[in-house]
């Protein structure tokens, strides 16, 4: 397994490869994202990690950008490439496909108009 030197990384992109996301193109999204990052020469700025389920199956395939705290929903290979271009190359989140965003004063919040269901918190709360 490769060990990366993460010094200088600006973004960590988590790509869901849980069961539902895989059925919704998670593998293809992962490959497309990594190809686009390499094509744009962003390898030294963006680190990608495949994850298991992120708990937002209704939003499959999910991508999460940190430290920005932006959650993207219903990613396809083409949408994911657009996110890479806008969010990482141009420095502006692609709000059209974002569901959640981190706010320093209130944590993660649903973005208006995304139709993101609140769901049920772990532990039934």
């Amino acid at each position: 397994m490769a060990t990366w030197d993460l010094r200088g990384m600006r973004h960590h992109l988590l790509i869901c490869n849980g069961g539902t996301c895989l059925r919704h193109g998670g593998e293809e999204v992962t490959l497309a994202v990594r190809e686009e990052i390499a094509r744009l020469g962003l390898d030294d700025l963006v680190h990608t990690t495949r994850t298991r389920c992120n708990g937002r199956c209704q939003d499959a395939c999910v991508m999460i950008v940190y430290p920005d705290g932006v959650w993207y929903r219903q990613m396809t290979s083409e949408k994911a490439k657009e996110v890479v271009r806008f969010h990482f190359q141009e420095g502006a989140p692609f709000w059209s496909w974002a569901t959640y965003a981190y706010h320093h004063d209130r944590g993660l919040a649903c973005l208006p108009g995304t139709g993101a269901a609140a769901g049920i918190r772990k532990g039934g709360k």
Side-chain angles (χ1 to χ4, degrees), residues 30-121:
T30 301
L31 295 175
V33 161
R34 289 177 173 172
E35 288 170 8
E36 192 69 2
I37 288 169
R39 188 183 75 77
L40 296 172
L42 300 172
D43 291 304
D44 293 336
L45 300 175
V46 182
H47 181 70
T48 63
T49 301
R50 293 175 195 251
T51 69
R52 294 291 186 181
C53 181
N54 287 285
R56 294 296 303 171
C57 297
Q58 66 269 35
D59 293 336
C61 176
V62 174
M63 294 189 334
I64 309 163
V65 178
Y66 279 97
D68 309 48
V70 176
W71 290 55
Y72 289 103
R73 70 184 185 285
Q74 300 171 346
M75 289 288 97
T76 64
S77 297
E78 289 307 312
K79 284 181 176 181
K81 288 179 187 179
E82 289 290 315
V83 168
V84 169
R85 285 192 288 273
F86 280 91
H87 199 130
F88 303 133
Q89 188 176 44
E90 297 183 24
F94 204 105
W95 295 117
S96 299
W97 298 321
T99 305
Y100 292 93
Y102 179 78
H103 299 278
H104 294 284
D105 59 339
R106 62 181 193 261
L108 278 178
C110 288
L111 296 173
T114 64
I120 299 171
R121 290 187 179 272

